[in-house]
Amino acid sequence: MDTIVSYLNNLFANLPKSERVLALKAQMQASMEDKYLALKAEGRSENEAIGSVISEFGNIDELMTELGLAADPQTSSLRPFSLQDARNYLAAARQTAILIGIGVFLCLLGAASLIWIGQLVDNGQLGRQLGESGRGALAMIPFFILIAAGVSLLVYSGMKLDRYKFLETGEFELAPAAKIELERQREAFQPSFGLGIMIGVSLCILSPLSLFLFSLFGEKQTGFGVPVLLVTVGIAVFFFIYFGAIKDAFNKLLKLEEYANKNKQETDKVIGIVAATVWPLAAATYLLLGFTRGMWGTAWIIFPILGIVFGVFSAIYTGIKKS
């Protein structure tokens, strides 16, 4: 009930405080509360009931026009952003998160296929009848196909959110109904976010087990554990990207956490440049050590070490920019 009252207070905040308006507000409150109680009696959850009520009574513009009422004029340079605009953006953000997650997974799968097929060729289990160049092509062809597919998805996903770039600057103003509804949805999303991150972290922790499991079958088989490690990490990264992107979308719309910081764009730019530099170098180093030194079973330590160092750098730099 408190959510409904708060929602109505925001909805009528800019309307004249006349008897006619106050009577309309009281009438809407009674109707919304009746609808809420009816939905609860049907077995709906708190969030479902409130969401349905707000969706049904969320727009009073037409009613205001019919009654000859209008909100007090507002002078604002911010771009208005309605509840429907917010819903469209969240839907686009979810689709984009899936595309990015799949794109990154395909890139890691490409690297995994390169190592897996290369290991089969080195062990003489594949491509015996082919020449040296033919055996090399066996590994490189699926690698380039998967990388091309992954990069294409990443590029396409970036294009889908181009029209929402203004949200990064915070130069928009949410409608009262949108803010109330988004706060409710964000609160309902928090348990899913926590579970998704927990699964991703667990997969990252368990991923090196593949190296030890394959090493039980002999030193030559250890290399097969690396592709399994990369695929496991790819699944974990998908969870991080998907749930992190949705949370980021809510924070962006509600201007919470890092989006309340005026230095956020500069911070993200620096961290993005560093990430775009060090992670490809780490991957290249790992592949180089694996192919030239056969260090597939030990060189993987580069990634957790770099992850810790990069995390510390990001935290320190973000903290400095916020201060």
Side-chain angles (χ1 to χ4, degrees):
M1 291 294 187
D2 291 339
T3 303
I4 293 175
V5 173
S6 176
Y7 165 75
L8 282 173
N9 289 337
N10 281 281
L11 200 62
F12 282 80
N14 297 322
L15 293 174
K17 304 300 186 289
S18 65
E19 291 184 6
R20 197 177 185 188
V21 172
L22 294 176
L24 176 62
K25 179 181 177 183
Q27 182 182 354
M28 284 191 66
Q29 181 173 339
S31 299
M32 293 176 77
E33 289 177 351
D34 288 343
K35 180 69 174 178
Y36 168 80
L37 293 173
L39 291 171
K40 290 288 288 182
E42 293 175 4
R44 301 285 188 91
S45 68
E46 180 80 10
N47 285 327
E48 288 176 337
I50 292 176
S52 297
V53 170
I54 290 177
S55 296
E56 183 172 339
F57 295 92
N59 193 335
I60 62 169
D61 292 341
E62 293 182 3
L63 183 58
M64 291 292 102
T65 302
E66 290 178 8
L67 295 176
L69 299 172
D72 293 335
Q74 298 279 317
T75 56
S76 175
S77 60
L78 299 178
R79 178 173 178 171
F81 209 69
S82 68
L83 178 58
Q84 188 57 49
D85 291 333
R87 287 171 176 165
N88 293 340
Y89 169 68
L90 286 173
R94 286 189 176 91
Q95 293 172 4
T96 301
I98 292 174
L99 292 175
I100 293 174
I102 294 175
V104 173
F105 177 78
L106 288 176
C107 290
L108 287 172
L109 186 62
S113 70
L114 178 66
I115 297 169
W116 184 275
I117 296 175
Q119 188 73 23
L120 289 174
V121 170
D122 290 343
N123 291 351
Q125 298 169 285
L126 188 67
R128 294 181 184 177
Q129 67 277 19
L130 300 175
E132 184 175 347
S133 60
R135 289 194 295 269
L138 278 177
M140 298 305 295
I141 290 174
F143 169 75
F144 281 115
I145 291 175
L146 289 168
I147 292 295
V151 172
S152 297
L153 283 179
L154 293 175
V155 173
Y156 176 69
S157 65
M159 296 168 58
K160 283 183 69 68
L161 292 180
D162 277 348
R163 61 194 177 108
Y164 293 109
K165 282 186 176 179
F166 67 92
L167 295 177
E168 296 281 349
T169 64
E171 296 179 357
F172 66 96
E173 185 174 18
L174 276 178
K179 186 174 182 180
I180 295 292
E181 174 66 8
L182 289 173
E183 288 174 345
R184 183 192 66 79
Q185 289 185 18
R186 182 178 183 273
E187 183 178 354
F189 171 72
Q190 286 301 111
S192 299
F193 172 77
L195 178 62
I197 298 303
M198 183 179 69
I199 293 174
V201 170
S202 298
L203 288 173
C204 287
I205 294 173
L206 294 173
S207 61
L209 284 178
S210 62
L211 301 174
F212 300 108
L213 291 175
F214 277 94
S215 68
L216 296 176
F217 299 96
E219 186 177 349
K220 288 187 177 181
Q221 307 303 318
T222 303
F224 288 112
V226 179
V228 178
L229 181 149
L230 290 176
V231 170
T232 305
V233 170
I235 297 172
V237 169
F238 180 89
F239 277 93
F240 292 144
I241 290 173
Y242 179 74
F243 288 97
I246 295 176
K247 182 184 178 183
D248 185 72
F250 280 119
N251 289 343
K252 193 180 295 183
L253 290 171
L254 294 168
K255 301 180 184 179
L256 298 175
E257 296 182 7
E258 68 269 29
Y259 291 98
N261 178 17
K262 62 181 181 180
N263 294 318
K264 192 226 179 253
Q265 280 188 300
E266 181 184 349
T267 301
D268 280 356
K269 184 176 180 181
V270 173
I271 292 176
I273 291 173
V274 173
T277 303
V278 298
W279 286 106
L281 285 176
T285 302
Y286 177 73
L287 293 174
L288 180 64
L289 292 174
F291 284 116
T292 60
R293 302 287 184 88
M295 297 173 62
W296 301 113
T298 56
W300 61 268
I301 196 68
I302 293 172
F303 296 104
I305 291 176
L306 180 58
I308 294 171
V309 174
F310 182 73
V312 171
F313 163 76
S314 299
I316 293 175
Y317 187 79
T318 301
I320 291 173
K321 297 306 292 183
K322 283 183 177 180
S323 60

